[in-house]
Amino acid sequence: MNCQITGALRESVSLQELRDKGLPTERFEQLKISPEEMQLYGNFWEDLQCFPVAGRKGEQSQQFFFENSWYQKRNFGGERFHEGCDIFGKEEKSGYYPVLSITDGVVEQIGWLPLGGYRMGIRSPGGGYFYYAHLSSYAGDFEKGEKVKAGEVLGFLGDTGYGEEGTRGKFPPHLHLGIYVQTPKEKEHALNPYPVLQFLQNRQKNFFY
Protein backbone atom coordinates (compact mmCIF):
# COMPACT_ATOMS: atom_id res chain seq x y z
CA MET A 1 0.00 0.00 0.00
CA ASN A 2 1.54 3.32 -1.00
CA CYS A 3 2.10 6.17 1.45
CA GLN A 4 -0.58 8.37 -0.07
CA ILE A 5 -3.30 5.73 0.43
CA THR A 6 -2.04 4.93 3.93
CA GLY A 7 -2.19 8.63 4.84
CA ALA A 8 -5.71 8.93 3.46
CA LEU A 9 -6.84 5.93 5.52
CA ARG A 10 -5.33 7.37 8.69
CA GLU A 11 -7.09 10.68 8.05
CA SER A 12 -10.39 8.88 7.45
CA VAL A 13 -10.05 6.92 10.68
CA SER A 14 -9.14 9.99 12.72
CA LEU A 15 -12.11 11.94 11.30
CA GLN A 16 -14.43 9.08 12.24
CA GLU A 17 -13.00 9.13 15.76
CA LEU A 18 -13.73 12.85 15.94
CA ARG A 19 -17.28 12.32 14.69
CA ASP A 20 -17.73 9.72 17.39
CA LYS A 21 -16.80 12.42 19.92
CA GLY A 22 -19.50 14.64 18.46
CA LEU A 23 -17.38 17.00 16.33
CA PRO A 24 -19.26 18.35 13.29
CA THR A 25 -16.32 17.63 10.98
CA GLU A 26 -18.08 18.92 7.83
CA ARG A 27 -18.48 22.31 9.48
CA PHE A 28 -14.78 22.33 10.35
CA GLU A 29 -13.89 21.47 6.77
CA GLN A 30 -16.06 24.35 5.52
CA LEU A 31 -13.95 26.64 7.71
CA LYS A 32 -10.80 25.12 6.17
CA ILE A 33 -9.71 23.66 9.52
CA SER A 34 -7.37 20.73 8.93
CA PRO A 35 -7.85 17.25 10.43
CA GLU A 36 -4.72 17.85 12.52
CA GLU A 37 -6.27 21.01 13.96
CA MET A 38 -9.58 19.19 14.51
CA GLN A 39 -7.71 16.70 16.68
CA LEU A 40 -6.83 19.55 19.05
CA TYR A 41 -10.52 20.44 19.45
CA GLY A 42 -11.23 16.75 20.03
CA ASN A 43 -9.23 16.82 23.28
CA PHE A 44 -11.81 19.05 25.01
CA TRP A 45 -14.93 18.61 22.83
CA GLU A 46 -16.69 16.39 25.36
CA ASP A 47 -16.16 19.12 28.00
CA LEU A 48 -18.41 21.59 26.14
CA GLN A 49 -21.75 22.05 27.88
CA CYS A 50 -23.30 25.49 27.42
CA PHE A 51 -23.18 28.72 25.42
CA PRO A 52 -21.02 31.32 27.19
CA VAL A 53 -23.67 34.07 27.54
CA ALA A 54 -27.13 33.79 29.10
CA GLY A 55 -30.19 35.54 27.76
CA ARG A 56 -33.41 36.75 29.30
CA LYS A 57 -36.10 34.22 30.14
CA GLY A 58 -39.04 34.39 27.74
CA GLU A 59 -37.23 36.41 25.07
CA GLN A 60 -38.22 34.81 21.76
CA SER A 61 -36.06 36.73 19.29
CA GLN A 62 -32.37 36.06 18.76
CA GLN A 63 -30.44 37.58 21.64
CA PHE A 64 -26.80 37.06 20.62
CA PHE A 65 -24.81 37.55 17.44
CA PHE A 66 -21.33 36.41 16.45
CA GLU A 67 -19.35 36.10 13.23
CA ASN A 68 -16.25 34.26 12.13
CA SER A 69 -13.75 37.06 12.78
CA TRP A 70 -10.83 34.65 13.19
CA TYR A 71 -7.47 36.25 12.38
CA GLN A 72 -8.90 39.55 11.23
CA LYS A 73 -6.49 42.44 11.71
CA ARG A 74 -6.60 44.50 14.89
CA ASN A 75 -4.62 47.69 15.61
CA PHE A 76 -4.75 48.52 19.32
CA GLY A 77 -1.32 47.93 20.86
CA GLY A 78 0.24 47.42 17.43
CA GLU A 79 -0.87 45.43 14.42
CA ARG A 80 -2.00 41.94 15.38
CA PHE A 81 -4.56 39.28 14.50
CA HIS A 82 -7.83 38.51 16.26
CA GLU A 83 -7.37 35.23 18.14
CA GLY A 84 -10.96 34.74 19.16
CA CYS A 85 -14.62 35.35 18.46
CA ASP A 86 -16.75 38.27 19.66
CA ILE A 87 -20.30 37.77 20.94
CA PHE A 88 -22.68 40.75 20.97
CA GLY A 89 -26.02 40.99 22.72
CA LYS A 90 -29.25 42.41 21.34
CA GLU A 91 -29.18 44.90 24.21
CA GLU A 92 -26.00 46.98 23.94
CA LYS A 93 -25.63 47.40 27.69
CA SER A 94 -22.54 46.71 29.75
CA GLY A 95 -23.29 44.46 32.73
CA TYR A 96 -26.62 43.28 31.30
CA TYR A 97 -25.87 39.67 30.24
CA PRO A 98 -24.32 37.00 32.50
CA VAL A 99 -21.20 35.29 31.16
CA LEU A 100 -21.15 31.55 31.92
CA SER A 101 -18.39 28.97 32.02
CA ILE A 102 -18.68 26.75 28.95
CA THR A 103 -17.12 23.82 30.82
CA ASP A 104 -16.25 22.52 34.23
CA GLY A 105 -12.73 23.63 35.03
CA VAL A 106 -10.19 25.46 37.14
CA VAL A 107 -9.49 29.20 37.24
CA GLU A 108 -5.98 29.74 35.89
CA GLN A 109 -6.02 33.50 35.31
CA ILE A 110 -8.10 36.40 36.57
CA GLY A 111 -7.71 40.17 36.67
CA TRP A 112 -6.94 43.04 34.36
CA LEU A 113 -5.15 42.95 31.01
CA PRO A 114 -4.72 46.09 28.85
CA LEU A 115 -6.18 44.31 25.81
CA GLY A 116 -8.73 42.08 27.51
CA GLY A 117 -9.89 44.29 30.35
CA TYR A 118 -11.31 42.28 33.23
CA ARG A 119 -10.84 38.69 32.09
CA MET A 120 -10.90 35.13 33.35
CA GLY A 121 -9.16 32.02 32.04
CA ILE A 122 -10.61 28.56 32.76
CA ARG A 123 -8.81 25.26 32.04
CA SER A 124 -11.21 22.41 31.22
CA PRO A 125 -10.56 18.75 32.13
CA GLY A 126 -9.55 17.96 28.53
CA GLY A 127 -6.93 20.70 28.48
CA GLY A 128 -8.77 23.50 26.69
CA TYR A 129 -8.06 27.00 28.03
CA PHE A 130 -11.14 29.23 27.70
CA TYR A 131 -10.41 32.97 27.82
CA TYR A 132 -13.35 35.28 28.66
CA ALA A 133 -12.49 38.95 28.13
CA HIS A 134 -13.96 42.49 28.44
CA LEU A 135 -16.11 41.57 31.47
CA SER A 136 -17.85 44.51 33.11
CA SER A 137 -17.38 42.82 36.50
CA TYR A 138 -16.93 39.44 38.14
CA ALA A 139 -19.77 37.47 39.72
CA GLY A 140 -17.74 36.63 42.82
CA ASP A 141 -14.34 36.70 44.48
CA PHE A 142 -12.79 34.06 42.25
CA GLU A 143 -9.21 32.99 42.89
CA LYS A 144 -6.61 31.07 40.88
CA GLY A 145 -6.97 27.35 41.47
CA GLU A 146 -10.69 27.59 42.25
CA LYS A 147 -12.96 25.03 40.61
CA VAL A 148 -15.97 26.16 38.58
CA LYS A 149 -18.88 24.24 37.07
CA ALA A 150 -20.24 24.48 33.54
CA GLY A 151 -23.03 27.06 33.50
CA GLU A 152 -21.67 28.90 36.53
CA VAL A 153 -21.83 32.69 36.21
CA LEU A 154 -18.30 34.10 35.94
CA GLY A 155 -19.17 37.74 35.42
CA PHE A 156 -21.06 40.04 33.07
CA LEU A 157 -20.60 40.98 29.43
CA GLY A 158 -18.97 44.39 29.22
CA ASP A 159 -16.71 46.87 27.48
CA THR A 160 -13.54 46.97 29.59
CA GLY A 161 -10.05 47.06 28.13
CA TYR A 162 -7.82 48.88 25.67
CA GLY A 163 -6.11 50.91 28.38
CA GLU A 164 -5.12 51.06 32.02
CA GLU A 165 -7.20 49.27 34.64
CA GLY A 166 -10.78 50.51 34.73
CA THR A 167 -10.85 51.71 31.09
CA ARG A 168 -14.33 51.32 29.60
CA GLY A 169 -16.30 52.38 26.56
CA LYS A 170 -13.65 52.04 23.84
CA PHE A 171 -15.90 49.63 21.90
CA PRO A 172 -19.47 48.24 22.06
CA PRO A 173 -20.13 45.77 24.90
CA HIS A 174 -19.30 42.21 23.92
CA LEU A 175 -17.64 39.02 25.12
CA HIS A 176 -14.34 38.10 23.49
CA LEU A 177 -13.93 34.32 23.69
CA GLY A 178 -10.52 32.80 23.05
CA ILE A 179 -9.62 29.11 23.11
CA TYR A 180 -6.05 27.85 23.53
CA VAL A 181 -4.41 24.45 23.88
CA GLN A 182 -0.88 23.33 24.61
CA THR A 183 0.97 21.46 21.84
CA PRO A 184 4.49 20.04 21.64
CA LYS A 185 5.52 23.19 19.75
CA GLU A 186 3.44 25.89 21.49
CA LYS A 187 2.45 26.51 25.09
CA GLU A 188 -0.57 28.51 23.89
CA HIS A 189 -1.84 27.45 20.48
CA ALA A 190 -4.91 29.50 19.51
CA LEU A 191 -7.96 27.76 18.03
CA ASN A 192 -10.85 29.39 16.20
CA PRO A 193 -13.82 29.48 18.66
CA TYR A 194 -16.39 29.97 15.89
CA PRO A 195 -17.28 26.27 15.37
CA VAL A 196 -17.49 25.82 19.15
CA LEU A 197 -20.00 28.67 19.41
CA GLN A 198 -21.99 27.31 16.47
CA PHE A 199 -22.15 23.95 18.26
CA LEU A 200 -23.21 25.54 21.56
CA GLN A 201 -25.69 28.16 20.32
CA ASN A 202 -28.62 25.80 20.89
CA ARG A 203 -27.42 25.23 24.46
CA GLN A 204 -28.02 28.80 25.56
CA LYS A 205 -29.30 29.23 29.09
CA ASN A 206 -31.93 31.82 29.89
CA PHE A 207 -32.47 33.43 33.29
CA PHE A 208 -34.81 35.84 35.05
CA TYR A 209 -32.61 38.75 36.10
Side-chain angles (χ1 to χ4, degrees), residues 26-175:
E26 290 184 2
R27 186 174 295 165
F28 279 86
E29 289 173 326
Q30 291 170 359
L31 294 169
K32 302 187 185 306
I33 296 174
S34 70
E36 292 76 21
E37 196 87 342
M38 290 184 213
Q39 291 274 11
L40 299 177
Y41 290 85
N43 292 331
F44 60 76
W45 197 262
E46 293 177 349
D47 297 338
L48 305 176
Q49 295 192 44
C50 66
F51 193 75
V53 192
R56 287 187 68 88
K57 192 83 170 180
E59 179 69 53
Q60 298 301 315
S61 60
Q62 185 177 1
Q63 297 189 61
F64 301 108
F65 309 87
F66 57 92
E67 296 179 348
N68 184 19
S69 58
W70 179 248
Y71 249 54
Q72 290 182 357
K73 286 188 176 181
R74 295 289 190 269
N75 296 314
F76 180 82
E79 189 168 298
R80 55 193 172 82
F81 295 99
H82 192 225
E83 291 185 349
C85 195
D86 294 333
I87 306 165
F88 296 85
K90 180 181 176 182
E91 299 290 337
E92 294 186 6
K93 300 176 183 178
S94 180
Y96 186 78
Y97 296 107
V99 172
L100 313 181
S101 182
I102 292 172
T103 67
D104 293 344
V106 176
V107 178
E108 282 197 358
Q109 297 292 341
I110 190 167
W112 182 268
L113 285 179
L115 282 177
Y118 293 114
R119 65 44 162 122
M120 190 180 298
I122 307 293
R123 182 76 62 181
S124 78
Y129 179 79
F130 295 82
Y131 170 74
Y132 307 84
H134 306 313
L135 303 178
S136 67
S137 62
Y138 298 109
D141 297 325
F142 293 98
E143 297 181 354
K144 290 182 182 180
E146 184 172 344
K147 292 182 179 180
V148 298
K149 301 294 291 182
E152 185 171 343
V153 180
L154 304 177
F156 297 87
L157 184 150
D159 58 358
T160 61
Y162 281 28
E164 63 185 14
E165 184 166 357
T167 300
R168 300 173 185 267
K170 294 289 186 74
F171 41 75
H174 67 278
L175 172 68

